[in-house]
């Protein structure tokens, strides 16, 4: 029997898992990691400068791999999205609060981001807990939100007319694939932890079902400001070989863009989820 993994909580969400080689995780350790993922919502690891094959092999132990339809992939590895910002580029990928794939009918379970090159300073990623955000709302607001559904889309971010796509030319593409919308409950129950989570996000949610965009905006803005209160968030500082593995069903993330003139390259593998409710 292998000994219990060493984990340090990172505050509102996330925990740093120490002394582990993700290329050699036993089945028993994997079970511990799965329990920690459900509990902490984001797992952080350090010193995991593994080959793309090992990154893929570890990610595959959590589910099927999603081949991202918008991101440029790492050469030779279609299942690994490249999240890069070159020194001469201004915009970064993911520099806004969002959860990946909420525009899909069956959103992704999570994303595993491995740092390959990081700037000397800056380039941290912020995470917010949507279970904490739900739990700290009044019971009146919780009850009201439980009756709502919301429409999510990729069109305004990855579609042909999206300003973001112009800025991300060469890094993101395939705008033709940004045609789908999805409707999800505003509050979902996390399939493993059983906790309720706020499931709208500033990146991809358009409006509440049956409400206009104008009618939806004040309440969405309130929820967005509520969710990112510092008490619901954590911040991760990267080094080469660091990994953040976040649960897309109950967290948001935000890649800070404060390292102009330097290069940052991350490799992201996204794992397919199951229907949410
Ligand atoms: C992303 O939104 O997937 C990118 C996050 C990051 O680069 O920190």
């Amino acid at each position: 029997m292998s000994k219990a993994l060493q984990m340090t909580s990172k505050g509102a969400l996330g925990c740093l898992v120490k002394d582990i080689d993700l290329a050699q995780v036993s089945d028993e350790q994997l079970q511990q990691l799965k329990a920690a993922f459900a509990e902490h919502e984001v797992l952080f690891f350090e010193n995991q400068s593994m080959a793309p094959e090992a990154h893929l092999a570890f990610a595959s132990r959590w589910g099927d791999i999603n081949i991202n339809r918008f991101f440029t992939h790492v050469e030779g590895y279609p299942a690994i999205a490249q999240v890069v910002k070159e020194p001469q580029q201004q915009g970064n990928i993911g520099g806004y609060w969002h959860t990946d794939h909420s525009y899909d009918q069956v959103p992704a379970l999570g994303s595993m981001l491995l740092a390959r090159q990081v700037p000397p300073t800056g380039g941290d990623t912020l995470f917010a807990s949507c279970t904490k955000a739900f739990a700290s709302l009044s019971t009146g607001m919780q009850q009201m939100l439980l009756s709502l559904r919301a429409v999510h889309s990729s069109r305004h971010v990855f579609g042909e007319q999206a300003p973001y796509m112009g800025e991300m030319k060469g890094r993101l593409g395939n705008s033709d694939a940004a045609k789908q919308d999805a409707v999800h409950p505003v509050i979902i129950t996390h399939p493993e932890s059983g906790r309720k989570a706020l499931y709208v996000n500033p990146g991809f949610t358009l409006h509440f079902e049956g409400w206009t965009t104008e009618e939806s905006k004040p309440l969405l803005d309130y929820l967005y400001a509520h969710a990112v209160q510092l008490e619901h968030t954590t911040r991760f500082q990267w080094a080469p070989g660091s990994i953040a593995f976040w649960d897309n069903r109950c967290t948001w993330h935000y890649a800070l863009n404060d390292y102009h003139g330097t290069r940052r390259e991350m490799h992201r593998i996204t794992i397919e989820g199951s229907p949410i409710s």
Side-chain angles (χ1 to χ4, degrees), residues 46-51 114-116 240-242:
E46 294 171 331
N47 305 313
Q48 307 289 329
S49 295
M50 51 188 169
L114 166 57
R116 293 294 183 190
S242 302

Side-chain angles (χ1 to χ4, degrees), residues 83 93-94 98 100 113 125 238 246 253 255 264 266 268:
V83 179
I93 293 176
H98 65 286
D100 303 330
L113 191 70
T125 304
W238 299 90
W246 60 84
H253 55 281
R264 181 179 186 269
M266 322 291 272
R268 196 179 92 181

Side-chain angles (χ1 to χ4, degrees), residues 6-265:
Q6 297 302 306
M7 303 190 198
T8 310
S9 164
K10 299 278 285 175
L13 73 164
C15 82
L16 177 65
V17 186
K18 296 185 195 146
D19 299 329
I20 187 167
D21 176 358
L22 295 185
Q24 300 193 42
V25 170
S26 68
D27 289 344
E28 200 183 328
Q29 286 175 323
L30 187 67
Q31 289 321 309
Q32 289 181 48
L33 291 176
K34 288 191 172 176
F37 189 63
E39 173 65 23
H40 298 281
E41 307 178 345
V42 188
L43 300 181
F44 299 111
F45 305 94
E46 294 171 331
N47 305 313
Q48 307 289 329
S49 295
M50 51 188 169
E53 287 78 7
H55 188 192
L56 280 164
F58 179 62
S60 303
R61 296 179 75 181
W62 295 76
D64 293 338
I65 305 300
N66 171 280
I67 309 279
N68 193 288
R69 52 197 184 279
F70 303 119
F71 282 58
T72 299
H73 60 73
V74 173
E75 207 182 330
Y77 298 94
I80 307 182
Q82 191 181 39
V83 179
V84 68
K85 183 179 169 222
E86 301 293 350
Q88 73 281 7
Q89 293 172 330
Q90 287 301 306
N92 69 334
I93 293 176
Y96 52 97
W97 282 112
H98 65 286
T99 189
D100 303 330
H101 293 256
S102 73
Y103 47 79
D104 284 340
Q105 298 296 335
V106 178
L109 174 150
S111 300
M112 202 175 277
L113 191 70
L114 166 57
R116 293 294 183 190
Q117 187 177 356
V118 298
T121 56
D124 296 356
T125 304
L126 308 178
F127 295 90
S129 167
C130 299
T131 58
K132 288 257 168 25
F134 175 77
S136 59
L137 288 166
S138 68
T139 51
M141 177 66 95
Q142 289 177 344
Q143 285 309 315
M144 201 267 288
L145 294 177
L146 279 163
S147 67
L148 297 180
R149 288 154 50 93
V151 178
H152 301 244
S153 182
S154 61
R155 296 167 201 263
H156 60 291
V157 179
F158 299 118
E160 249 160 53
Q161 306 304 323
Y164 184 60
M165 286 308 262
E167 212 182 328
M168 293 298 141
K169 210 168 164 40
R171 290 182 280 171
L172 300 175
N174 199 23
S175 288
D176 285 353
K179 297 234 181 320
Q180 66 293 100
D181 295 331
V183 181
H184 300 298
V186 168
I187 306 300
I188 62 167
T189 303
H190 190 277
E192 279 91 42
S193 71
R195 293 195 284 247
K196 289 197 172 4
L198 180 68
Y199 197 74
V200 287
N201 69 90
F204 300 117
T205 306
L206 295 181
H207 58 83
F208 298 111
E209 187 183 42
W211 299 29
T212 64
T213 305
E214 218 176 19
E215 288 166 341
S216 304
K217 190 173 182 320
L219 179 53
L220 285 174
D221 285 349
Y222 173 83
L223 294 171
Y224 296 159
H226 171 80
V228 299
Q229 287 176 67
L230 294 182
E231 290 79 3
H232 303 148
T233 68
T234 197
R235 177 172 180 147
F236 188 61
Q237 192 175 11
W238 299 90
S242 302
I243 287 184
F245 176 32
W246 60 84
D247 192 324
N248 278 312
R249 300 155 305 178
C250 58
T251 66
W252 297 348
H253 55 281
Y254 185 130
L256 289 174
N257 188 14
D258 56 355
Y259 54 96
H260 299 304
T262 56
R263 189 173 192 276
R264 181 179 186 269
E265 181 182 349

